[in-house]
Amino acid sequence: MTGTSDSRNRRWAATHRCIFTTALELFEDFGFEQVSVGRIAARSGVSVPTFYAHYPSKEHLVMAPPTVEEVGALLATQPPGLAVGERVLRANLMWIARMPPDEYDELATRWRIIATTPALRTRVAEYERATAGMILANLPAPSDTVQIVQATAALAATTAALLAWADGNGQRKLEELFDEAFRALSA
């Protein structure tokens, strides 16, 4: 049974990856809003229901929010005595440093798509709030107003850096943009 399960998992992962890479190519070539789920599915060689078995929407291909566990793992690498904003900045820098080159390139592609799609730029604020909530959920003490504001501001700075990176077509290092955005918070 294990062999069948492993084979099924590999097939599922390969299909998931195929849908993802195909969608990014289509979004880059034609624009996010001009590409339908049906077109992604057809180009990927899957049915529309199979697409939805892998992704709840085409938006989820581009805007991949972290999980509570991923946020917690990144924050756990930072000294707990630091302010929330400093912990988020350091976690962002660690996240980028650990990212394999192909994932870094995909991150750049996803953020270029977000930056050029007004509806996605607007939706980023919802993801910021959700991720700020994940940060607060991973803090050892109950969140107070200061922590809430720090987490929300840190996520706004993160988004500003990512959008500046995408708007500049990756000409500047993302790490520099993170540093600049977080310095603006303390100015």
Side-chain angles (χ1 to χ4, degrees):
M1 282 296 195
T2 303
T4 303
S5 178
D6 288 346
S7 174
R8 191 174 304 133
N9 289 340
R10 282 192 303 274
R11 212 171 36 252
W12 190 93
T15 300
H16 194 78
R17 180 83 184 142
C18 178
I19 293 168
F20 176 76
T21 58
T22 300
L24 289 188
E25 289 170 8
L26 288 169
F27 296 154
E28 281 196 301
D29 291 345
F30 301 102
F32 179 83
E33 293 173 338
Q34 285 67 43
V35 177
S36 68
V37 167
R39 188 172 186 182
I40 297 167
R43 178 74 68 89
S44 301
V46 301
S47 66
V48 170
T50 297
F51 172 93
Y52 284 115
H54 286 265
Y55 295 96
S57 70
K58 69 179 189 173
E59 183 179 281
H60 282 81
L61 291 156
V62 179
M63 300 181 77
T67 65
V68 173
E69 294 78 21
E70 290 168 335
V71 170
L74 274 172
L75 289 176
T77 65
Q78 304 308 312
L82 292 176
V84 174
E86 182 64 23
R87 290 177 75 189
V88 172
L89 171 59
R90 288 176 174 215
N92 281 340
L93 295 173
M94 181 176 287
W95 169 61
I96 293 300
R98 290 180 176 176
M99 192 175 288
D102 59 327
E103 287 182 31
Y104 188 86
D105 293 343
E106 287 174 357
L107 180 69
T109 300
R110 288 182 16 237
W111 277 92
R112 278 193 308 273
I113 293 164
I114 292 166
T116 59
T117 308
L120 293 178
R121 278 184 93 111
T122 301
R123 290 291 311 266
V124 166
E126 292 175 32
Y127 285 80
E128 280 177 22
R129 285 190 300 277
T131 307
M134 292 179 206
I135 290 167
L136 295 168
N138 276 287
L139 296 178
S143 300
D144 60 20
T145 303
V146 171
Q147 289 176 323
I148 293 167
V149 170
Q150 288 176 342
T152 304
L155 266 293
T158 299
T159 298
L162 287 162
L163 286 171
W165 182 52
D167 287 337
N169 205 27
Q171 294 299 311
R172 293 184 59 203
K173 287 183 157 191
L174 184 52
E175 297 85 347
E176 291 172 8
L177 292 164
F178 278 141
D179 187 56
E180 187 176 289
F182 279 80
R183 270 195 328 248
L185 288 178
S186 60

